Amino acid sequence: SQKIEQNSEALNIQEGKTATLTCNYTNYSPAYLQWYRQDPGRGPVFLLLIRENEKEKRKERLKVTFDTTLKQSLFHITASQPADSATYLCALDGGGFKTIFGAGTRLFVKA
Amino acid sequence: DGGITQSPKYLFRKEGQNVTLSCEQNLNHDAMYWYRQDPGQGLRLIYYSQIVNDFQKGDIAEGYSVSREKKESFPLTVTSAQKNPTAFYLCASSIGVMGTEAFFGQGTRLTVV
């Protein structure tokens, strides 16, 4: 079955630095991959989508890469701010209309 | 404002009781979804519906039921057959085209007491 792995350990970085989060997947070749942000006690909010034929996608301070050979996506936040502190979820095409979510990585940005 | 609304935010249920979680959207989306989130785990799909009067089981449908009588509404019933119902439940909607973003509600935290 499809499996998504995100680092379960929290990532702690200093304000102004670049945060890099990793999403690895196995047993599947997804047509797309998405990243969401989730704050405690709230629903996830969509950030970016990248398709299998795209290597990189940018949106303001966010950048996503998608390496279908390595079966990996990297999510970067440049010039990080304390307001970026949240859990970031990776999600991929599960076939049909299904989307499979990873458990997420918690990011803490210290001022 | 367009959006997706879940209610209530917190819900307490006694063992052996059925309970229904509400989900309403005014985004004119065809597809709607119910997920369950447990600590340290990803969102797991319970049920999804691509169109009115039609829905399919997700990965963990046992002990749950849904209905889709109206485009804007997709209520989830947690039955007494669900062995471990305490969790954070999330409803989402999308335009129904594969790969498009999902819009999530604020979630309902269900606790069995």
Side-chain angles (χ1 to χ4, degrees):
Chain A
S1 62
Q2 305 111 351
K3 188 177 179 182
I4 301 178
E5 293 178 348
Q6 293 187 258
N7 195 340
S8 59
E9 291 184 15
L11 178 64
N12 290 281
I13 65 167
Q14 200 67 35
E15 183 177 10
K17 301 294 186 183
T18 295
T20 298
L21 286 70
T22 304
C23 174
N24 296 297
Y25 59 91
T26 59
N27 299 334
Y28 197 61
S29 296
Y32 63 85
L33 191 146
Q34 300 174 337
W35 284 90
Y36 289 79
R37 168 184 173 140
Q38 186 175 25
D39 291 289
R42 303 178 74 88
V45 175
F46 172 81
L47 296 174
L48 282 167
L49 177 147
I50 186 166
R51 300 192 184 276
E52 60 180 336
N53 60 344
E54 298 175 314
K55 296 284 187 195
E56 183 180 297
K57 205 80 164 287
R58 292 176 184 261
K59 179 182 177 183
E60 297 173 351
R61 295 185 294 113
L62 308 180
K63 185 178 85 171
V64 173
T65 62
F66 193 8
D67 189 324
T68 55
T69 301
L70 292 178
K71 294 187 182 295
Q72 180 181 79
S73 174
L74 298 179
F75 177 79
H76 307 272
I77 306 175
T78 58
S80 60
Q81 304 165 1
D84 294 325
S85 298
T87 297
Y88 291 87
L89 307 175
C90 168
L92 56 78
D93 158 34
F97 287 89
K98 295 170 66 173
T99 300
I100 300 172
F101 286 82
T105 298
R106 192 87 185 266
L107 171 68
F108 291 99
V109 180
K110 292 180 284 189
Chain B
D1 288 335
I4 182 163
T5 303
Q6 289 185 244
S7 62
K9 189 171 177 62
Y10 299 96
L11 189 57
F12 296 88
R13 188 195 93 176
K14 291 183 179 179
E15 281 193 40
Q17 287 182 337
N18 293 355
V19 65
T20 297
L21 282 59
S22 171
C23 179
E24 304 276 331
Q25 55 98 358
N26 60 4
L27 299 166
N28 200 32
H29 285 170
D30 286 314
M32 296 187 75
Y33 312 81
W34 274 105
Y35 292 92
R36 169 182 172 139
Q37 188 174 34
D38 295 283
Q41 296 193 41
L43 279 65
R44 291 184 290 168
L45 184 63
I46 305 172
Y47 268 97
Y48 65 104
S49 169
Q50 296 169 222
I51 198 168
V52 174
N53 292 323
D54 186 47
F55 48 83
Q56 286 79 40
K57 293 181 179 180
D59 301 315
I60 55 165
E62 185 175 352
Y64 300 98
S65 66
V66 293
S67 63
R68 187 85 188 276
E69 297 176 0
K70 298 185 296 182
K71 186 175 185 177
E72 57 270 23
S73 179
F74 192 42
L76 173 74
T77 296
V78 184
T79 75
S80 56
Q82 169 48 234
K83 300 301 181 189
N84 185 21
T86 295
F88 189 49
Y89 290 87
L90 287 159
C91 180
S93 70
S94 72
I95 63 173
V97 175
M98 191 179 68
T100 53
E101 66 181 280
F103 291 78
F104 284 84
Q106 293 304 295
T108 293
R109 187 167 297 281
L110 173 64
T111 303
V112 175
V113 296

